[in-house]
Amino acid sequence: MRSAPTILHLDMDAFYASVEQASKPSLRGKAVIVGGLGPRGVVATASYKARVHGVHSAMPMSQARRLAPNAAYLVPRFTLYRSISDQVMALLRALSPLVEPLSLDEAFVDLEAGGTAWDERSARLVGAKLRADIRAVTGLTGSVGLAASKMLAKIASEQAKPDGLVVIEPGTERAMLEPMPVRTLPGVGPATGDHLRRAGIHTVGEIAEAGEDELVRLLGKAHGHALYAMALARDDRPVVAERETKSVSVEDTYDVDIHDRVRVGLEVQRLADRCVRRLRGAGLSGRTIVLKVRRYDFSTLTRSETLRGPTDDPAVVREAAARLLDSVDTTGGVRLLGVGVSGLADYTQEDLFAQAAGGAGEEVAEAEESESASEPRPEVPVERRWSAGHDVRHTEYGHGWVQGSGLGRVTVRFETPGSSPGRVKTFRVDDPALEAADPLPLVEAPPDLPEPMRPPEEPPPRPLEG
């Protein structure tokens, strides 16, 4: 572990919900919940106001609605979130070449490798400036933790939430960790936490007191050794700039179980095509095709098939996924299907195309929502176009967002990121004056930011006299 707090961990505060509040003035300061709105949807992010009611990420949306019935419920806009994440990651990469993204809203940065921090004071200044730059460029807030290791930097950013900065100075780590609950440490989930609690271990300090041998006895060799090291604040993991993509996959959860075997097959084919679109978008191919099926009783089955070499051909992937489906019993109904490709490479093996029935070279449609001609799908009701939270434009009233739709009507609130809370209007779903629109920027004109500070250069040596 290094001798200065130059590992930075950034966590954007309630990211998806914060983006929605920044773009919708009427939702600022209110409970906002983003996620799947169907009967089997889950919460992706909840604003801090919603968390007061007990709502949290990964909670079933039905439970969230019971806890916070008056909250605003919105469908995610991942394209917008990704574009804002790109702005934030660009700010981080201006600080150091070693940036390790963990998700759209979270990353580690090695400030020492970028020469932007070398002691406690310079690290604190960089952290404060980063938070100000994020607000200036995106209009959002982020919490920053600074420490001498990745584990401690992440713990510091958790302490800093929301919209704060915490620096853990070297030499203070053990004293800070000792009174914290065991769940503070990475990898200690509910099951491990309960196991430790039954053994009389409730705090990080008590983990250290229990000793390595006792932890190995309780948790097994690998977990016991790792947990003991973390309790002693030992973490030598480096910040890794490129996290290798191990697989590409897509999946869908269905509001109503699918019982028709033909429909299941068509869904698998559609998912295979979507997966290949993602593969090609990333410039990748893969050797192993994976099928995931969650049945009516929540049992989950996975099947895989490894090809002779990597491919990004949709016909090959579809055919392999269909073969895998043949080995799965779906009689009782299916609630989730997924198709993935692993064993990734940045090249394809042409002779694999011969595996595809009907020849090779079928192109994947560019648009994410376009379907293969061999996959007839039921016509979607017009109401489904108007997803709650998505942007629209009306020829008379201008830009707005969908508050809700149903029974042939759609309700729109007309406001923009820079306006006051706007007025609400209701229209027929087929109103020709209303159309889908692209999101507006959260900040109209992001400022030109100054270069990050660098350590002073050493003065040149003076020539010897003589």
Side-chain angles (χ1 to χ4, degrees), residues 262 265-267 269-270 273 314-315 318 362 370-377:
V262 174
L266 291 175
E267 289 294 315
Q269 300 294 288
R270 181 177 64 84
D273 278 354
R318 281 201 304 268
E362 180 180 350
S370 64
E371 305 294 343
S372 166
S374 64
E375 300 175 8
R377 292 173 58 76

Side-chain angles (χ1 to χ4, degrees), residues 338-388:
V339 174
V341 177
S342 60
L344 301 182
D346 57 2
Y347 65 96
T348 60
Q349 188 163 312
E350 298 296 331
D351 63 0
L352 281 172
F353 293 163
Q355 295 186 26
E362 180 180 350
E363 291 297 321
V364 180
E366 291 292 327
E368 178 68 25
E369 297 303 326
S370 64
E371 305 294 343
S372 166
S374 64
E375 300 175 8
R377 292 173 58 76
E379 190 169 334
V380 180
V382 129
E383 288 86 349
R384 296 289 297 276
R385 294 184 314 184
W386 308 114
S387 299

Side-chain angles (χ1 to χ4, degrees), residues 286-289 305-313 316-317 319-320 323 341 349 352 355:
R287 296 182 65 232
T288 301
I289 314 303
E305 175 182 319
T306 299
L307 307 173
R308 295 193 302 274
T311 184
D312 66 351
D313 182 63
V316 172
V317 176
E319 192 172 276
R323 286 194 297 271
V341 177
Q349 188 163 312
L352 281 172
Q355 295 186 26

Side-chain angles (χ1 to χ4, degrees), residues 37-301:
L37 302 189
R40 291 176 178 168
V42 297
V43 175
T45 304
S47 69
Y48 288 100
K49 195 86 169 183
R51 294 179 193 186
V52 171
H53 298 282
V55 180
H56 58 76
S57 299
M59 171 182 284
M61 191 62 77
S62 57
Q63 183 180 355
R65 289 186 184 277
R66 289 194 296 271
L67 293 172
N70 297 319
Y73 288 86
L74 307 175
V75 174
R77 297 187 291 168
F78 288 112
T79 300
L80 175 61
Y81 306 152
R82 191 171 293 110
S83 68
I84 295 170
S85 173
D86 289 344
Q87 292 178 300
V88 174
M89 296 301 166
L91 292 175
L92 299 183
R93 292 188 177 97
L95 299 175
S96 173
L98 291 184
V99 176
E100 183 177 342
L102 305 179
S103 62
L104 290 179
D105 60 342
E106 185 181 3
F108 287 109
V109 185
D110 187 333
L111 299 178
E112 188 175 35
T116 48
W118 49 94
D119 58 12
E120 187 272 337
R121 179 177 176 276
S122 59
R124 190 181 292 274
L125 289 173
V126 168
K129 182 178 183 301
L130 174 63
R131 291 177 56 233
D133 289 348
I134 289 172
R135 186 184 290 273
V137 169
T138 69
L140 304 176
T141 63
S143 296
V144 171
L146 288 152
S149 71
K150 289 168 71 171
M151 179 191 78
L152 293 168
K154 184 170 176 62
I155 290 173
S157 70
E158 287 292 325
Q159 291 182 315
K161 288 183 178 180
D163 191 21
L165 183 149
V166 169
V167 180
I168 300 176
E169 298 182 27
T172 68
E173 298 95 345
R174 290 284 301 277
M176 179 210 62
L177 285 175
E178 284 179 354
M180 291 184 169
V182 295
R183 292 285 302 277
T184 302
L185 297 179
V188 180
T192 301
D194 287 344
H195 201 53
L196 292 170
R197 178 179 51 79
R198 288 194 294 271
I201 299 173
H202 300 87
T203 67
V204 176
E206 289 170 346
I207 291 176
E209 289 174 8
E212 192 167 15
D213 291 341
E214 175 66 8
L215 292 171
V216 168
R217 186 186 70 80
L218 286 171
L219 305 173
K221 188 173 181 180
H223 203 176
H225 286 312
L227 197 58
Y228 183 68
M230 288 190 290
L232 298 180
R234 296 174 185 164
D235 179 21
D236 295 323
R237 294 173 300 154
V239 175
V240 180
E242 297 297 332
R243 295 171 61 85
E244 182 181 357
T245 302
K246 299 185 183 301
S247 65
V248 173
S249 63
V250 296
E251 61 182 44
D252 276 345
T253 301
Y254 303 98
D255 291 345
V256 179
D257 289 350
I258 302 175
H259 294 83
D260 181 9
R261 182 74 177 189
V262 174
R263 168 81 188 283
V264 172
L266 291 175
E267 289 294 315
V268 167
Q269 300 294 288
R270 181 177 64 84
L271 290 166
D273 278 354
R274 281 177 54 195
C275 185
V276 170
R277 284 197 285 274
R278 290 194 179 183
L279 267 182
R280 289 186 170 184
L284 297 171
S285 60
R287 296 182 65 232
T288 301
I289 314 303
V290 181
L291 175 71
K292 177 180 177 181
V293 180
R294 181 166 296 149
R295 299 189 291 190
Y296 68 99
D297 58 357
F298 286 89
S299 61
T300 302
L301 305 176

